[in-house]
């Protein structure tokens, strides 16, 4: 379906050139978003693993959280 | 015998002074208000228009909303209030981009620097940044969920200044994961000294707005 843009309250259809540009930007944005999600998952995993290692050393969760800021997800 | 009533349309001539409970006026200016202009003087006065609603736009189907009215040097600061924001594509980003040239006819799709930071209700911190990109990321990963709509306020300072142009914002939105009501704030710079910003475009990274209303206000003397 062709895209619609609204400028100062009036709707206009995208031109063919604008559609191509929007398709390109949308594809680039999807790559950026996927990369960000992967980075966030890795960060969460690293935080969880690091937390577990500190607990295994004998620290309490409160002590670990005070040092690292990491809070385990609520069940 | 005491008077029961007084017919003021017949019994009084002249103008009642302020000191006697009157206005001291025989006429006023249409659409203006009464104001004390001295301790014993009342006069017509216009409402201050230093903070003005320039334009309001709403859509449930457009892929972008652009504002090009009011960028003529009248206002020092432009404020955009985004309300009722929902998107068609789950997890897309919400972007803004400066418009340039006469009537905002050209997109300023380079030389943008931004950094933003968010904190979610589940305790997770979010940050995004770029030292050179084509758009400003206002929110990252917006939920397509009609119950949890998003909102933000964005300011654009001195859009016609000779030098870099500053943009800043804060808001709250629902990320597309559970428990992720997220507060966000950010700042951006349009690093083009030669071109004035003559409009602003708001758009989701994919699909369309499902709902949104954006009000554009102009602030003078700021």
């Amino acid at each position: 379906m062709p895209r619609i843009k609204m400028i100062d309250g009036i709707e206009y259809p995208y031109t063919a050139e604008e559609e191509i540009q929007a398709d390109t930007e949308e594809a680039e944005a999807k790559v950026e978003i996927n990369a960000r999600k992967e980075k966030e998952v890795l960060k969460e995993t690293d935080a969880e693993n690091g937390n577990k290692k500190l607990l295994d050393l004998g620290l309490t969760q409160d002590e670990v959280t005070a040092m690292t800021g990491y809070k385990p997800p609520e069940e | 015998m005491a008077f029961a009533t007084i017919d003021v349309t017949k019994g009084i001539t002249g103008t009642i002074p302020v000191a006697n409970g009157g206005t001291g006026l025989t006429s006023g200016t249409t659409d203006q208000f009464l104001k004390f202009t001295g301790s014993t003087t009342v006069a017509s006065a216009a409402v201050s228009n230093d903070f003005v609603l320039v334009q309001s736009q709403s859509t449930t189907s457009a892929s972008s909303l652009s504002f090009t009215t009011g960028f003529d040097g009248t206002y020092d600061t432009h404020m955009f209030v985004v309300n009722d924001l929902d998107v068609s594509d789950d997890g897309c980003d919400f972007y803004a981009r400066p418009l340039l040239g006469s009537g905002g006819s050209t997109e300023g799709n380079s030389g943008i620097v931004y950094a933003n930071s968010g904190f979610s209700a589940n305790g997770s911190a979010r940050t995004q940044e770029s030292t050179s990109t084509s758009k400003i990321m206002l929110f990252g990963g917006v939920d397509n969920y009609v119950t949890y709509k998003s909102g933000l306020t964005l300011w654009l300072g001195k859009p016609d200044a000779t030098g870099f142009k500053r943009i800043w914002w804060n808001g709250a939105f629902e990320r597309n994961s559970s428990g992720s009501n997220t507060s966000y704030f950010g700042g951006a710079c349009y690093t083009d000294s030669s071109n004035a910003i003559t409009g602003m475009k708001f758009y989701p990274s994919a699909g369309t707005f499902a709902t949104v209303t954006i009000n554009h206000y102009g602030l003078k003397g700021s």
Side-chain angles (χ1 to χ4, degrees):
Chain A
M1 197 167 72
R3 293 178 177 89
I4 298 291
K5 59 182 178 181
M6 182 179 281
I7 303 173
D8 296 336
I10 301 172
E11 289 187 343
Y12 304 88
Y14 275 44
T15 64
E17 189 181 333
E18 288 170 337
E19 286 283 1
I20 292 168
Q21 179 65 24
D23 286 344
T24 302
E25 288 195 23
E26 191 170 316
E28 289 172 354
K30 280 181 181 167
V31 170
E32 283 180 28
I33 291 167
N34 286 336
R36 188 174 71 228
K37 281 181 181 172
E38 286 175 13
K39 197 174 161 186
E40 284 177 1
V41 168
L42 181 63
K43 189 178 171 186
E44 290 287 331
T45 305
D46 285 347
E48 194 176 338
N49 290 342
N51 186 71
K52 184 176 181 309
K53 286 175 184 172
L54 289 170
L55 293 179
D56 289 345
L57 290 173
L59 279 72
T60 67
Q61 183 60 62
D62 284 347
E63 289 168 337
V64 175
T65 299
M67 285 195 307
T68 66
Y70 176 80
K71 293 179 191 172
E74 292 175 9
E75 297 298 327
Chain B
M1 192 174 84
F3 286 110
T5 57
I6 297 173
D7 186 347
V8 296
T9 64
K10 295 176 181 170
I12 297 173
T13 59
T15 306
I16 303 174
V18 172
N20 294 84
T23 62
L25 298 173
T26 57
S27 65
T29 304
T30 302
D31 290 333
Q32 291 194 346
F33 293 87
L34 283 181
K35 174 184 175 182
F36 275 94
T37 56
S39 61
T40 59
T41 310
V42 173
S44 283
V47 175
S48 169
N49 61 351
D50 291 346
F51 183 58
V52 177
L53 173 62
V54 178
Q55 191 176 56
S56 178
Q57 295 190 64
S58 298
T59 186
T60 56
S61 59
S63 295
S64 66
L65 282 187
S66 295
F67 294 79
T68 68
T69 301
F71 290 87
D72 55 1
T74 303
Y75 306 109
D76 298 294
T77 303
H78 295 256
M79 185 173 94
F80 296 88
V81 178
V82 179
N83 232 324
D84 212 22
L85 171 64
D86 191 22
V87 291
S88 68
D89 284 30
D90 209 17
C92 71
D93 291 345
F94 181 43
Y95 296 151
R97 176 176 284 161
L99 301 175
L100 314 172
S102 176
S105 55
T106 306
E107 299 205 6
N109 55 7
S110 64
I112 293 170
V113 177
Y114 77 84
N116 64 38
S117 181
F119 189 72
S120 296
N122 65 356
S124 299
R126 321 279 177 191
T127 58
Q128 285 95 39
E129 68 285 322
S130 176
T131 56
S132 179
T133 186
S134 60
K135 74 274 180 183
I136 303 164
M137 187 203 290
L138 303 174
F139 287 154
V142 182
D143 203 357
N144 161 236
Y145 193 172
V146 71
T147 307
Y148 294 99
K149 292 186 178 176
S150 305
L152 69 80
T153 304
L154 175 144
W155 292 265
L156 161 63
K158 310 285 186 188
D160 49 2
T162 303
F164 296 174
K165 285 78 173 173
R166 183 60 68 187
I167 293 165
W168 60 102
W169 67 95
N170 62 40
F173 78 108
E174 191 73 10
R175 290 188 83 250
N176 63 327
S177 56
S178 60
S180 284
N181 173 71
T182 302
S183 64
Y184 243 69
F185 63 91
C189 188
Y190 180 56
T191 61
D192 181 338
S193 298
S194 55
N195 287 305
I197 293 176
T198 53
M200 286 296 292
K201 172 184 174 182
F202 297 86
Y203 62 107
S205 64
T208 69
F209 289 110
T211 60
V212 74
T213 295
I214 305 179
N215 283 3
H216 171 203
Y217 299 89
L219 287 76
K220 293 179 185 174
S222 56

